[in-house]
Structures are given as C-alpha cells and as structure tokens.
Amino acid sequence: MPVHRPRVVIVGGGFGGLAAARALRRAPVEVIVIDRVNHHLFQPLLYQVATSVLSPGQIGSPLRGIVGSQRNTTVVLAEVTGVDREKRHVVARSADRENVAIPYDILVLATGARHSYFGHGEFERYAPGMKTLGDAVAIRNRILQAFEQAEAEEDPTRHRDLLTFVLVGAGPTGVEMAGALAVMVRTTLRSEFRRIDPTSARIVLVDMANRVLGTFAEDLSAAAKRRLERLGVEVRLGQAVDRIDEGGIVAGGERIASHTVIWTAGVAPSPAGQWLGAATDRAGRVKIQPDLTVPDHPEIFVVGDTASLEHDGRPLPGVAQVAMQQGRYAARLIRRRLQGKTAPRPFHYFDKGNMAVVGKGFAVLQSGPIRMSGFIAWLGWAAVHLEFLAQSSLRVSVFVQWVWTYLTGQRGSRLIVTPPVASIASPPVDAVTPAREPR
Ligand SMILES: Cc1cc2nc3c(=O)[nH]c(=O)nc-3n(C[C@H](O)[C@H](O)[C@H](O)COP(=O)(O)OP(=O)(O)OC[C@H]3O[C@@H](n4cnc5c(N)ncnc54)[C@H](O)[C@@H]3O)c2cc1C
C-alpha cells in the first residue's frame, strides 16, 4: 500500500526556496520545487557577468542538477500565477499549458523580488535593471556594444556619449558595478582599441541619498566613495533622477548624455501578497508571523525577499542570508510538525554582516563591531562568495577565473551574444557610421 506523504510545494528555487528544499531532503514528504527558470542564480555575482568577468554558467546552476539526487524532490519548470488558499493549490502556467492546478499540503512561497522604478515604469526601456541572468547578459552586450560603436564611429564628438555609462543607485549593486566597469576600462580594454581610448570612458554613479552604501557604517561608505573616485568614477550624491530617455538622464536638473544607463536602485517584492490576499507592508511584502507563516494559515510559509518580518524592531533586510536562514527554519518547522514535536522557537536572524567590493582587491566589510576596508576585507568577500555558490564545480571554476583575472586583467566572457542591433534599447542602427579601415 503506497503511503501518502504530505506534499510540500516550494515556489522559487532561489536562496530561500533552495535552502528549504535541501533541508527537507530526508523528511518524509514529497517536495515539489516550482520555478519559472531552470536554474538557481547567485545574484550577488550578477555584476561580474555584466562586466564580463564571469560567464552566466559560472553563477547559475540547473535546479535539477542541485536537487537531482534528492529522491523526494521533483523540479517543475512553470510560472506560478496565483494561489487558491481554500482548495490548497497553486495555479501555474508552463510552456504549453495555462492554469494548471498543483495541489499542496504545505506551501512555501519564496518568489523573491523584481526591479522597482519607484513609479517611473517608463525608465525601464532605457535603463534596464539586473535581476536575472538574461538581464546581466543584456547589460554586458550593451556595454561591450558601446565600445564597439565608439570604435566604429568616425565622428569623435559622438564618442563621449557612447562612452558615458550611468548607474542609477549607489547601493551595493551600483557601487560594485561602477567599480568593476572602472577596472575593466583601465585593464582589459585599455590597449585593445585604436580609434578610442577606453580609459577616457566616463562612469557616473548617481543617487538621491547623501552617501553610497547607505546600509553600511558612515566610515565605510566614505571609504567606498574615496575608492570609487580614485578609480575615476564620478559619484553624484543627493541628486534625484528626474528623467531617463534615449539620450541619457536628467539628474539634479542637469542632463548627462549617455547611451548606456543601468538601473541599480530599487526592488519590489513578487506579487505573492496579491496571490494570497494577505496583509502586506508598504513595499508590498507579505507580513508574516514570527514562525514565518501567514496569519490564519499555518500551512503557508513566505520566506526571503517577498516576506516582511520585523526583527529587533526593524524590518529584516532583503539579503541572501535572511532568505537562506528563513528557508531552513521553515523546513525545520515542517519536519518537527510531522514528527509531532513542539514548534521551534520563533525565527531568529543571525546577522553575519555586510560586504561590498569596490574594484580590484578592495572591499568594505561590516560584521557586528568589526568594520574594515581594503585588501583583507576583499579576501573575506571572495571567500564568503565562493563558499555560497551552489555547487563545488562552480567554486573551482570561479576561483580559477578570479585568480586569472586578478593576475592578467583578462576576463572570462566578453562575447556579444545577440545581434548587435537587437540588444535592449540600443540606439537605432542608422546612428552608427560604417567603419573604414583603421588609420
Ligand atoms: C544584483 C544583485 C546583487 C545582490 N547582492 C547581494 C549580496 O551581495 N549579498 C546579499 O546577501 N544579497 C544580495 N542580493 C540580494 C539577494 O540576492 C536576495 O536577497 C536573495 O536572492 C533573496 O532570496 P529569495 O529566495 O527571496 O529570492 P530569489 O533568490 O530572488 O529567488 C526567487 C526565485 O523565485 C523564482 N520565481 C519568482 N517568481 C516566480 C513565479 N511567479 N513562479 C515561479 N518562480 C518564480 C525566481 O525565478 C527565482 O528563482 C543581491 C541581489 C541582486 C539583484
């Protein structure tokens, strides 16, 4: 007689969902992981794909490959579009089917966040954000394409706009991206062009806040800013972006002409709150209880970026550590319930600290009372990021690539992989002057 095992449906194979699935590997449950993409993505290194250091395959791992040996776990490639709390099923669509009901006994929603343009959806067309591997590759194409266009452009007055890169948002992603771009033009690209000087590229980092890395201590923000400026990045703080169009941006009342604007500012949660009809915070994240369940629904957990929980009187930040710890906690609670044991103590977040890298061999690190910046912090950053990659093969491959890039300045993946004119919001093709023989 087959024994009915409770079915745990986990929506999202990111940091939170994957941590939950892994922690349930020996539990007497059937686990179904649903994700709209077939891979787990290590988002903290997306900027290294966008700046050609790493290739997409070095920061993304097929979910099937990660949990494939977990006999109680099935991976389903589908996009969830809703939840029926009464009938206890999620509604999903896949490549060839709509409105498929997938029943659950226990549901873990771990659907993360997406970009937020703070009510300016029209910015997206000209200033792509970076959340997925596709986004990072599109941005990489666009950056490399700008240098190619400038090299092919015979009118030197147009080089300036083509070689101006604007990053909107001076949080960790904007800072890391600006630093990496600055290093790229000064090392890898430096001697490879004939008509343009890549080191003349203008890299502008804009934010309406008064300091970069606003979640770090002030002295670390100041150290990161100094480092960026030493790398040649123009840091413009206290300037709101009023407009973004095909010609660039208007910030603090001044137009900055640019063909490449990248959005590294806000994020908004997934629509999980709408699916559940549950109470949300101002940002739209589902308000959860200290055991990570939705009020009145002990069978529904929400974890990670799409959940809102206060900790020591402050909302938990949208970082990978929170998502992973919450995913593991939800799995533990599920196991204990099935064993008839008492519930564990309410979720407690163990904050291991924050880090951000600024160019080559320099990072800022803040962990409890420890604050440091420089090379040692960068080594710590590298070790932690290697440790949290999803598979050992990736750890080896990324480590080798980093050492190679550090020593030689060469990058792992500098291919423009879509037809040049098809890259997102590129200038029209007739704006490109045909190239003549190099002088
Ligand atoms: C560029 C960038 C850099 C970052 N750097 C850092 C850093 O240095 N340190 C740090 O701690 N954090 C960093 N973060 C934040 C960190 O990545 C997130 O906090 C973390 O990924 C949240 O985990 P999660 O499980 O909630 O969501 P995610 O990891 O985003 O996973 C969500 C998953 O759900 C899937 N999904 C979404 N909607 C659906 C749907 N409708 N149907 C099916 N599947 C769906 C997605 O495909 C995805 O796989 C960074 C984020 C970004 C974007």
Side-chain angles (χ1 to χ4, degrees):
M1 281 273 290
V3 181
H4 171 76
R5 292 191 300 170
R7 180 186 277 184
V8 181
V9 169
I10 300 174
V11 186
F15 283 102
L18 189 58
R22 279 174 152 168
L24 287 171
R25 65 186 171 283
R26 290 200 192 88
V29 290
E30 177 195 4
V31 179
I32 298 195
V33 178
I34 307 174
D35 203 303
R36 60 185 172 197
V37 298
N38 81 334
H39 51 267
H40 168 78
L41 175 62
F42 193 79
Q43 292 173 13
L45 291 178
L46 269 175
Y47 83 95
Q48 295 212 353
V49 171
T51 52
S52 305
V53 175
L54 298 175
S55 65
Q58 286 174 301
I59 66 162
S61 319
L63 282 167
R64 228 168 262 296
I66 302 173
V67 293
S69 59
Q70 242 177 259
R71 297 187 63 84
N72 67 348
T73 304
T74 305
V75 176
V76 174
L77 181 64
E79 176 166 20
V80 167
T81 54
V83 175
D84 189 325
R85 291 182 304 179
E86 306 314 318
K87 294 186 180 148
R88 295 201 178 181
H89 65 232
V90 299
V91 183
R93 67 166 159 242
S94 58
D96 58 351
R97 292 191 300 163
E98 289 283 334
N99 296 324
V100 181
I102 304 177
Y104 64 81
D105 296 303
I106 296 169
L107 176 63
V108 181
L109 290 174
T111 37
R114 52 209 162 128
H115 318 297
S116 165
Y117 287 82
F118 305 125
H120 284 283
E122 73 279 8
F123 289 176
E124 185 166 12
R125 180 156 178 243
Y126 306 107
M130 200 164 50
K131 252 333 243 172
T132 65
L133 270 182
D135 295 338
V137 170
I139 289 172
R140 180 183 79 191
N141 286 342
R142 201 161 162 174
I143 292 169
L144 296 174
Q145 182 68 31
F147 286 98
E148 296 302 334
Q149 271 182 251
E151 178 81 340
E153 172 60 62
E154 290 164 322
D155 176 359
T157 61
R158 296 196 66 239
H159 289 169
R160 188 74 181 153
D161 299 358
L162 284 166
L163 296 183
T164 296
F165 301 89
V166 178
L167 297 127
V168 182
T173 304
V175 166
E176 293 187 331
M177 184 80 193
L181 255 177
V183 172
M184 180 165 100
V185 299
R186 279 160 186 73
T187 56
T188 319
L189 303 186
R190 186 184 179 93
S191 57
E192 292 188 352
F193 291 80
R194 299 294 167 262
R195 294 176 175 179
I196 56 162
D197 172 10
T199 64
S200 68
R202 182 181 176 204
I203 300 160
V204 186
L205 180 64
V206 189
D207 201 304
M208 64 189 297
N210 287 322
R211 59 189 177 102
V212 304
L213 300 178
T215 55
F216 286 69
E218 282 193 28
D219 54 335
L220 294 180
S221 292
K225 179 168 180 276
R226 278 196 304 276
R227 183 72 182 184
L228 284 170
E229 286 170 343
R230 208 169 305 149
L231 288 168
V233 176
E234 195 178 316
V235 183
R236 300 171 75 116
L237 298 173
Q239 298 190 355
V241 171
D242 304 317
R243 189 181 162 85
I244 304 181
D245 55 33
E246 66 276 7
I249 72 164
V250 176
E254 189 189 326
R255 176 165 276 280
I256 303 172
S258 167
H259 281 232
T260 314
V261 181
I262 300 164
W263 187 261
T264 52
V267 289
S270 75
Q274 291 162 28
W275 300 338
L276 294 172
T280 56
D281 66 8
R282 280 207 336 237
R285 301 183 303 169
V286 181
K287 283 190 180 172
I288 51 171
Q289 306 188 107
D291 67 355
L292 313 187
T293 60
V294 175
D296 302 326
H297 285 275
E299 76 287 7
I300 302 179
F301 294 81
V302 185
V303 302
D305 280 6
T306 214
S308 169
L309 182 67
E310 293 219 338
H311 199 258
D312 298 334
R314 290 169 55 193
L316 285 171
V319 294
Q321 274 300 326
V322 170
M324 285 191 285
Q325 291 179 30
Q326 289 187 334
R328 285 194 286 264
Y329 178 93
R332 190 160 151 243
L333 180 47
I334 293 167
R335 282 198 315 263
R336 288 184 72 87
R337 266 193 209 159
L338 294 174
Q339 292 164 346
K341 293 186 179 167
T342 51
R345 282 185 303 178
F347 174 74
H348 178 83
Y349 173 52
F350 175 51
D351 185 357
K352 296 182 183 166
N354 278 331
M355 292 184 218
V357 70
V358 196
K360 184 178 173 181
F362 187 100
V364 291
L365 182 159
Q366 180 174 340
S367 178
I370 303 168
R371 290 178 200 175
M372 61 165 92
S373 58
F375 187 70
I376 302 291
W378 181 75
L379 287 179
W381 172 90
V384 167
H385 282 67
L386 285 174
E387 185 192 341
F388 284 105
L389 281 164
Q391 290 177 304
S392 340
S393 57
L394 299 188
R395 275 173 226 133
V396 175
S397 142
V398 169
F399 176 72
V400 170
Q401 183 61 54
W402 280 352
V403 172
W404 184 249
T405 302
Y406 190 88
L407 295 177
T408 67
Q410 293 306 312
R411 281 159 197 256
S413 186
R414 272 172 58 200
L415 309 180
I416 299 173
V417 288
T418 57
V421 289
S423 58
I424 35 170
S426 309
V429 66
D430 57 8
V432 182
T433 316
R436 290 206 197 117
E437 286 294 303
R439 277 168 282 201

